[in-house]
Amino acid sequence: MNQTERIYRTDLKLLRYFLAVAEELHFGRAAARLNMSQPPLSIHIKELESQLGTMLFIRHSRSVALTHAGKVLMEEARLLLQAANQALAKVEQIGRGERGRVELGIVGTALWGGLRPFFLRFMQENPTVDILFREKSPGMQIALLENHEIDAGIWRMATTLPLGLTGERLRSASYLVALPRNHRLAAYSAIPLGELRNEPFVTLPAAHSDWSFLQKVCFRAGFSPNIVREAVEPQTVLALTSMGVGITLMADSYAQMNWPGVVFRPLEERIPADLYIVYDASQLTPILQRLIGMLKSADIEEMKETEAL
């Protein structure tokens, strides 16, 4: 093993003892500063010199001076101890939930609607916490959770979860029918699901979206949706809808945005598009716990507003 590969096992405590003597240049004053007696301090300094194989101090009968090696170590020790204190303080803050990082799997529409202001508030109130969003399908989020690659996942609908994962509802939401502006059903204030029986549908791929669930809803209503076109992005689906290619079902958060040529109508039979957060309770950190609490308050505040109307 060469010199650069050598592993040093010097205790940080020895560096603190050394730094006190180096700054005071007097063993007695350094011992008083460290709240200890002088003989043990002298022993610790000799121990450090022995570990490093070099003299750090030139000792005279009434004075102490630093060797060249001692002067270099004084500067390096200051940097080391400062870095150690910063690292430990950072870890302590993470333990208290004051700083750190939360990595979330998420469906894109979760950032619209009721949750968006609460994410914004959390980031404003916790500027030392980074939130990273990874837009993934529910199936992919479950895989990432099981591999501990994300801290939590957010998607729509209650899902049968693998053992070890916990799900909590964050916000009540519904699917709406998105129609071309001049469509005959645009005149309805609420549309019966059966009225969609003979309509052409434009959808997202079932494997990467909620469409497998929505297909089952249509099956239970007695028909199979006539899917004439699939698109990868929701905005493409809505663009095709505006052109009259077909209709689609979208979460109500999309209705908050302006889509030229598209109107949204509720269904008589509500199809839930509730948002859930899913996580491994054994991996729950103080930061994630606080974030979940804030996001859950979105639904509570919405219910209060509804009751007040």
Side-chain angles (χ1 to χ4, degrees):
M1 179 182 293
N2 61 41
Q3 191 67 19
T4 59
E5 294 174 337
R6 180 179 171 187
I7 298 174
Y8 292 88
R9 304 188 183 279
T10 300
D11 194 325
L12 287 180
K13 180 172 64 176
L14 291 181
L15 292 180
R16 292 192 179 92
Y17 292 161
F18 161 77
L19 194 57
V21 179
E23 290 176 344
E24 297 291 342
L25 290 178
H26 191 283
F27 275 85
R29 289 195 298 269
R33 171 173 152 182
L34 293 167
N35 196 27
M36 63 189 300
S37 60
Q38 183 174 330
L41 178 58
S42 297
I43 293 172
H44 287 310
I45 296 301
K46 289 179 181 178
E47 179 185 353
L48 179 60
E49 289 176 323
S50 175
Q51 288 181 10
L52 298 177
T54 187
M55 295 293 291
L56 301 173
F57 295 100
I58 301 170
R59 297 164 176 83
H60 300 290
S61 58
R62 295 186 179 182
S63 65
V64 175
L66 285 163
T67 64
H68 175 66
K71 291 176 182 177
V72 172
L73 183 59
M74 182 171 70
E75 296 305 317
E76 295 294 339
R78 283 171 174 161
L79 295 174
L80 282 169
L81 292 172
Q82 182 181 23
N85 284 336
Q86 289 174 344
L88 294 173
K90 184 176 181 179
V91 172
E92 191 176 41
Q93 288 174 323
I94 290 172
R96 293 197 301 261
E98 295 172 1
R99 68 179 300 154
R101 184 175 73 179
V102 178
E103 194 158 350
L104 295 177
I106 202 161
V107 292
T109 54
L111 295 179
W112 292 99
L115 292 186
R116 186 171 56 88
F118 289 85
F119 273 118
L120 179 60
R121 183 194 300 178
F122 183 87
M123 289 187 286
Q124 290 172 337
E125 294 179 0
N126 301 272
T128 57
V129 176
D130 292 326
I131 301 182
L132 303 181
F133 298 104
R134 296 174 64 178
E135 192 171 353
K136 301 290 181 181
S137 68
M140 293 182 71
Q141 289 187 47
I142 287 176
L144 292 172
L145 282 166
E146 290 183 316
N147 291 330
H148 305 295
E149 294 181 42
I150 57 175
D151 298 299
I154 296 178
W155 63 77
R156 298 189 182 279
M157 306 166 301
T159 306
T160 301
L161 299 173
L163 188 66
L165 295 183
T166 300
E168 295 188 58
R169 194 180 77 164
L170 293 179
R171 183 178 183 271
S172 175
S174 302
Y175 283 98
L176 304 178
V177 185
L179 309 155
R181 190 173 297 280
N182 59 356
H183 195 282
R184 66 178 181 86
L185 294 176
Y188 284 58
S189 58
I191 300 173
L193 187 59
E195 285 288 332
L196 308 183
R197 182 183 307 274
N198 299 316
E199 295 292 331
F201 277 80
V202 182
T203 73
L204 296 164
H208 303 290
S209 69
D210 302 330
W211 261 97
S212 56
F213 163 75
L214 293 170
Q215 282 181 313
K216 292 175 184 177
V217 171
C218 293
F219 293 157
R220 288 197 295 268
F223 70 96
S224 176
N226 176 27
I227 299 173
V228 297
R229 196 75 60 84
E230 283 188 351
V232 176
E233 300 293 339
Q235 56 266 32
T236 306
V237 171
L238 290 167
L240 292 171
T241 299
S242 72
M243 295 160 57
V245 175
I247 67 168
T248 193
L249 295 170
M250 286 282 181
D252 54 15
S253 53
Y254 279 100
Q256 298 186 19
M257 295 169 270
N258 180 34
W259 302 97
V262 178
V263 295
F264 292 85
R265 296 292 180 265
L267 288 155
E268 282 187 354
E269 304 91 345
R270 177 181 178 269
I271 301 176
D274 300 345
L275 281 168
Y276 288 79
I277 188 162
V278 179
Y279 56 92
D280 182 342
S282 68
Q283 303 293 317
L284 189 62
T285 63
I287 294 174
L288 181 58
Q289 191 170 17
R290 192 161 67 251
L291 176 61
I292 291 171
M294 183 168 286
L295 294 178
K296 286 175 68 175
S297 68
D299 205 34
I300 295 171
E301 291 194 13
E302 186 172 282
M303 287 189 290
K304 288 180 179 178
E305 290 175 2
T306 303
E307 291 171 359
L309 294 177

